[in-house]
Each structure stands twice: as structure tokens, then as C-alpha cells.
Amino acid sequence: MKKVLKAVSVLVLVTLLFCCSGDDNNAPINNPDPDPVPNPTDATTTLINTLSVPWELLWGPDNFLWVTERNGRISRINPDTGEQQVVITLNNVAQQQESGLLGMALHPDFINTPRVYVVYTYLSGNNLLERLVQFTYSNNTLSNETTLIDQIPANRIHNGSRLLITPEGHLYMSTGDAGNTSLSQNSNSLAGKILRINLDGSIPTDNPIAGSTVYSLGHRNPQGLAIQPGGRIYSSEHGPDTDDEINIISVGANYGWQEVRGLIDTPAEESFAATTPVTESIMNWTPTIAPSDLVYYTSDRIPQWTNKLVMTVLKDRKIVALTLSNDGTMVTQEESFFEDAFGRIRDIAVSPTGRVFIATNGDSYGDTSNTHRIIEINRLN
């Protein structure tokens, strides 16, 4: 394992990285130490506190944190020093309330194929729309923007936008109903769906609707996607005034919105489900808590979370750990951590060695100040 480099070495090697990284990228990546020993006296460490609504937080294959901010900025952040390196600022991003620069994913073979997938909202006339694009990373810059999916309905609210790349090479994207509840049950609309494409932007031949990116429907505003080692995909989803949800995402499944909230337990929901098969959620919260990002934590670095779904929460300002049944189809226990410790918690990133980082979004809904944080969780109290 590499030692933490001193300042001069860091500057020299980072310069070499930026000059040499590209599509052919034969030079070694300069990585900060990926597995330092946490300070045993500090349960958490603030890495940076000058961000403006960080939305996506990822641990990159280059051993840097990658972050999107809703104002259009994408950065690499050194996970040991907090040094921020802006790789692009998108000027065509429309940030209105919950919209802006949102989800991001990195190509799994990033060293050889340095592609970055990004979701953002933009204006077409007076209308907000959303698109999924791909960039190429080289010389500490993102360039060569290529649109993969365009003209997704968007709004000031309910834009979904979480991305997940699975081991078999599919890119999943969540979309919200864009404030138009009728779109979620419309298979011709891309709103209120989980979409699925290949990493080159083509449509998989085994998608449920031939020639369509739609993988599942009946979603309201899913903002978390996570995969279990066995391949099962979970989603966390915002409900209205009731029934925030955890769902298991299956090909062609219908999750019921707007006709069904959570479980099928009212006469109207039973009537709808009698003619339209609906996949029920495996966990619900009423009153709502505003679930955001979701990961499946496999490390023993934080043993209380090992082999559990770990979820960030906005309205209730905490982290939730969910224990699953042996077959992964039921939630058997819910635990809460860091309640009201950091304000609204938007996102979570985990390194290959189990280091955990979270992105916060201020103390209240709509807070767009430049004081949002990335915090490392070293241990649980």
C-alpha cells in the first residue's frame, strides 16, 4: 500500500497524472492512500465544507471522490486532504429548486475507458427537460459531451436521476414523474421509470419493450439505486405524504404510482391491482422521511453496517441501515444513526476498503448556500 505522499511529491505526481491521463492512459494513476487508519478519537471528519448542493458523491477508480453540485460543477476531491479540482462547469444546466446537475456514474474500466455519465436538467424554451450524457476525462478535464438519452420530462421537483452501472455492463437511470403523476403509468413516457441502456448508449435487446429504454414503471421519485453482490437491485423512493419506499427492481415490473402507494391495502389500490399487476415495496415509511441515496455495504470496516442497505435521509436528517432477510426480499430490521448531526444527508459513497463518505445539503429544504459538506464517517458512536 502506498504511503501518504508529502506535499511536493503530491504536486509532482498529480501534474504527471493530469498530463498523461487520457484514452490510452498508460501512466500510473497517482492515488492518495486508499486506506489510512482513522483517528480513533474522531467518529467523523469534515473533508470539505464549501460546496453548493452536492448531489452525487462517488468513490472513483482513481481513488478520488467525484462530486456533482447542482449548479453545474463536477469535481475530483482528494479524500485525505479535501483538495477540490474542478473538471468541468456546465453552463447549460438549469438549476431550479430540485433540478440542476444531478446523477453521475463512472465507467467501471475507467482507467482504460475514462467515461463519465451525467444527468442534468436544461431549458428548452420555457420547458425543463432532462438528459443523460457521456463525457471523456483527460488532462483533468471533461470534454466530448455525447447525449445518450434526451428529452426526458423534468420539473422543479421529482427528477429522480440516480445512476447505477451493474457488473454485466448495463447503466440504470431513475426518473421521477416530473410533477405529472399520469406519466408514471404511461409506458411511452420516460418519466416515472427506471431506464436501462448499454454503456455505449444502445438499448439492450432484452429490455421489456423492444426499442425502448424503459425497464420498469410506476415510480414517483426514486433517488437511490444499489446492487447486492448477487445482482439484486434496490431502489429508495420518495412518497407523497405517506409511503416512502424501498423496492426491488425487476424487469418489466410496475410499482403502482400513482394508483398504488407502498402496499396494496385500500379498496382503490386493490381494484387497480386486479387488472394491472403491481410489485409491492418491501419497506415503507409513514410519515415520510425523504430517502435519498442507497448503498449495499459489504465491508467490515464499519461492522454495524456489514451486509446491510445503508441509506441517506433528507427530511429526517439521518442515516438508516436496513438488515435484509437471507434471500434479500424482506427488511427485517431498521436502525438509525447520526440523527440531526449533519442536517439533510443527500448522498453516500464507499471506497473498496469500506471508507464511508456522505454529502450534506444544509439544514433545511431549499438551502443552496455554499456551506454544504462532505464528511467521512470513521466509526459509529
Side-chain angles (χ1 to χ4, degrees):
M1 181 184 301
K2 296 180 181 179
K3 300 290 186 180
V4 177
L5 299 175
K6 298 299 182 182
V8 174
S9 299
V10 170
L11 289 173
V12 172
L13 288 179
V14 168
T15 301
L16 289 174
L17 166 63
F18 295 162
C19 292
C20 300
S21 62
D23 287 359
D24 52 356
N25 198 11
N26 294 318
I29 294 270
N30 168 44
N31 298 333
D33 183 353
D35 193 19
V37 177
N39 184 338
T41 65
D42 295 333
T44 66
T45 305
T46 297
L47 188 64
I48 186 171
N49 61 2
T50 55
L51 300 177
S52 178
V53 197
W55 206 92
E56 184 74 68
L57 181 65
L58 302 172
W59 182 278
D62 56 357
N63 285 336
F64 277 75
L65 289 165
W66 287 68
V67 60
T68 65
E69 295 170 80
R70 246 178 17 212
N71 60 12
R73 185 165 57 184
I74 302 176
S75 303
R76 295 167 74 239
I77 295 178
N78 186 308
D80 298 324
T81 67
E83 179 188 5
Q84 182 179 14
Q85 304 160 349
V86 178
V87 296
I88 197 170
T89 299
L90 301 176
N91 296 320
N92 57 340
V93 167
Q95 181 187 9
Q96 299 180 14
Q97 203 166 324
E98 296 175 14
S99 65
L101 175 58
L102 303 170
M104 176 173 59
L106 306 182
H107 193 285
D109 188 19
F110 187 75
I111 304 305
N112 297 306
T113 310
R115 296 175 186 166
V116 179
Y117 302 89
V118 176
V119 178
Y120 63 83
T121 57
Y122 65 97
L123 282 172
S124 177
N126 294 323
N127 298 318
L128 267 176
L129 294 173
E130 185 173 73
R131 60 167 60 114
L132 168 65
V133 302
Q134 170 192 289
F135 290 97
T136 300
Y137 175 71
S138 179
N139 298 325
N140 200 34
T141 301
L142 292 181
S143 60
N144 301 324
E145 180 176 353
T146 302
T147 299
L148 302 181
I149 306 176
D150 204 357
Q151 297 186 335
I152 303 167
N155 207 324
R156 294 171 180 263
I157 57 172
H158 301 184
N159 295 303
S161 305
R162 192 66 64 191
L163 299 179
L164 172 71
I165 296 177
T166 57
E168 70 273 15
H170 291 134
L171 174 61
Y172 291 77
M173 173 184 171
S174 70
T175 68
D177 66 11
N180 183 345
T181 58
S182 66
L183 297 180
S184 296
Q185 290 295 322
N186 181 352
S187 60
N188 293 317
S189 172
L190 298 182
K193 309 295 189 297
I194 303 294
L195 309 179
R196 178 184 186 238
I197 61 173
N198 297 315
L199 294 181
D200 62 2
S202 62
I203 298 174
T205 57
D206 59 348
N207 271 11
I209 303 173
S212 171
T213 60
V214 172
Y215 188 78
S216 66
L217 71 160
H219 299 281
R220 182 177 183 268
N221 190 21
Q223 288 192 354
L225 287 173
I227 186 167
Q228 205 180 28
R232 184 176 282 109
I233 296 174
Y234 298 88
S235 173
S236 55
E237 183 165 339
H238 289 257
D241 52 343
T242 65
D243 295 291
D244 285 339
E245 300 177 349
I246 297 291
N247 290 302
I248 298 175
I249 302 301
S250 302
V251 56
N254 187 334
Y255 295 85
W257 179 255
Q258 64 172 335
E259 306 298 335
V260 174
R261 301 180 179 190
L263 302 178
I264 303 168
D265 54 8
T266 70
E269 292 172 338
E270 291 170 356
S271 176
F272 177 78
T275 58
T276 303
V278 172
T279 299
E280 293 182 299
S281 55
I282 65 169
M283 183 71 182
N284 300 84
W285 288 270
T286 298
T288 55
I289 62 173
S292 190
D293 194 25
L294 190 68
V295 296
Y296 188 84
Y297 190 77
T298 59
S299 174
D300 60 2
R301 188 182 184 106
I302 299 180
Q304 299 95 321
W305 290 351
T306 303
N307 296 327
K308 297 179 182 180
L309 286 173
V310 181
M311 184 176 71
T312 58
V313 175
L314 294 162
K315 187 174 76 172
D316 276 18
R317 301 149 55 109
K318 62 184 178 180
I319 296 173
V320 169
L322 301 173
T323 303
L324 299 170
S325 59
N326 290 335
D327 63 2
T329 63
M330 296 172 53
V331 174
T332 60
Q333 184 181 15
E334 174 187 357
E335 302 166 274
S336 295
F337 301 88
F338 299 108
E339 293 184 68
D340 288 324
F342 310 120
R344 294 163 58 83
I345 306 178
R346 169 67 63 182
D347 204 45
I348 184 169
V350 180
S351 81
T353 60
R355 295 177 69 182
V356 175
F357 299 82
I358 59 171
T360 71
N361 278 179
D363 290 328
S364 60
Y365 178 81
D367 177 359
T368 58
S369 63
N370 296 321
T371 58
H372 298 181
R373 297 175 286 173
I374 293 176
I375 297 168
E376 181 169 10
I377 296 175
N378 301 319
R379 59 178 174 81
L380 305 184
N381 287 324

